[in-house]
Amino acid sequence: MASPSRRLQTKPVITCLKSVLLTYTFVFWVSGIVLLAVGVWGSVSLAVYFSLLDEKATNVPFVLAGAGTVVVLLGTFGCFATCRGSTWMLKLYAMLLSLIFLIVLVAAVVGFVFRHEIKTNFESNLNLALKDYNVTADRHSEAVDTIQRTLHCCGVQNYSDWERTEYFTQRGIPQSCCKSQDDCSEEDLKDLSKAKLKVFVDGCFFLVTSVMESKMSVVAGISFGIACSQLVGIILACCLSQYITNNQYEMV
């Protein structure tokens, strides 16, 4: 049996670890809420952009929402385990954090390795969308219009890409390329030399991929930050579990 002074020294350490772990778990729980909100927002606001990527890419917002839900549930479990001071629950919490840590690392590596494939896939799908473009408002045509109108671009590489489409022979360049809807007649849109003064001349592929590449470092930084924070949680949970076990042993 350990001396009373040793037990008195251990209890403040346990209290301190509990407070730090609770603070960490609360921040972790909030990050889950943010992740869930981003997933829901992405599924609603970015649907047209994902429609021009591979079918698997359209599931990205739902994966984020699902991951956010898991983090919220795990954060709730972590708070409960910390408050109860249960050693087996704290060990399980550390194991689950380790699993998420590995998943985040794998996802970050896969995203980095296949980033060029995503760009190539987007370019080919954008070219196909221009070729099959029509005014019947199918999702790919709607996506093209939204991208051109939002990013102030036209075509894939530049506005002249539309000249090679069937739509151009019938109606000219789409209205979504126009700088001003009030000064953009169909007659102007059928003549490339006139259209050059009326429409956005820069292609959409370069603009979209530039945005993707500029955000890649941010995504990598966030992934690294999440991974590091999970290591902190794993260490805290293991330390608290060990101190609680030692304290129970010393009281015997």
Side-chain angles (χ1 to χ4, degrees):
M1 180 175 178
S3 63
S5 61
R6 175 111 180 242
R7 293 201 302 272
L8 287 174
Q9 290 174 356
T10 305
K11 287 183 178 180
V13 174
I14 293 175
T15 302
C16 180
L17 281 173
K18 275 188 174 183
S19 300
V20 175
L21 186 56
L22 277 173
T23 302
Y24 162 82
T25 304
F26 176 73
V27 173
F28 185 64
W29 184 85
V30 170
S31 70
I33 294 291
V34 173
L35 202 58
L36 176 60
V38 169
V40 173
W41 172 80
S43 65
V44 174
S45 302
L46 303 179
V48 291
Y49 298 94
F50 283 115
S51 67
L52 291 177
L53 290 172
D54 186 80
E55 286 296 324
K56 294 179 181 178
T58 60
N59 296 323
V60 170
F62 301 104
V63 171
L64 287 175
T69 303
V70 170
V71 169
V72 168
L73 292 175
L74 183 56
T76 303
F77 175 78
C79 286
F80 183 71
T82 305
C83 292
R84 284 287 302 273
S86 171
T87 54
W88 74 266
M89 291 177 74
L90 287 168
K91 289 176 181 177
L92 178 59
Y93 181 46
M95 288 175 60
L96 292 173
L97 283 176
S98 301
L99 180 61
I100 294 179
F101 169 73
L102 292 175
I103 292 173
V104 169
L105 283 184
V106 170
V109 170
V110 169
F112 180 78
V113 170
F114 290 100
R115 68 191 188 282
H116 295 301
E117 184 178 329
I118 293 172
K119 288 171 60 177
T120 303
N121 179 266
F122 178 78
E123 184 179 18
S124 61
N125 284 344
L126 185 56
N127 274 307
L128 186 61
L130 260 67
K131 180 181 177 182
D132 298 334
Y133 183 87
N134 56 65
V135 291
T136 57
D138 65 283
R139 68 190 185 100
H140 288 151
S141 297
E142 182 184 350
V144 170
D145 283 334
T146 302
I147 290 173
Q148 291 184 149
R149 194 177 295 113
T150 304
L151 299 182
H152 296 172
C153 58
C154 190
V156 181
Q157 301 300 333
N158 55 62
Y159 76 105
S160 64
D161 292 332
W162 283 104
E163 188 180 18
R164 297 185 293 272
T165 65
E166 185 179 346
Y167 181 84
F168 182 83
T169 60
Q170 300 172 358
R171 306 282 296 275
I173 297 175
Q175 290 281 338
S176 56
C177 283
C178 294
K179 297 177 182 177
S180 173
Q181 297 296 323
D182 299 329
D183 184 27
C184 206
S185 66
E186 187 172 318
E187 181 182 349
D188 292 334
L189 295 174
K190 286 184 176 180
D191 187 335
L192 280 184
S193 59
K194 293 181 180 179
K196 186 176 182 179
L197 302 174
K198 306 286 185 178
V199 302
F200 304 112
V201 295
D202 295 327
C204 295
F205 175 71
F206 176 76
L207 289 175
V208 172
T209 53
S210 295
V211 172
M212 289 171 59
E213 289 176 350
S214 66
K215 300 299 182 184
M216 187 64 75
S217 58
V218 177
V219 172
I222 291 174
S223 299
F224 182 75
I226 292 174
C228 289
S229 70
Q230 287 168 340
L231 285 176
V232 172
I234 293 166
I235 294 170
L236 287 173
C238 289
C239 288
L240 179 58
S241 175
Q242 188 62 44
Y243 268 101
I244 291 174
T245 301
N246 293 340
N247 188 60
Q248 291 172 346
Y249 173 77
E250 289 168 359
M251 293 179 66
V252 176

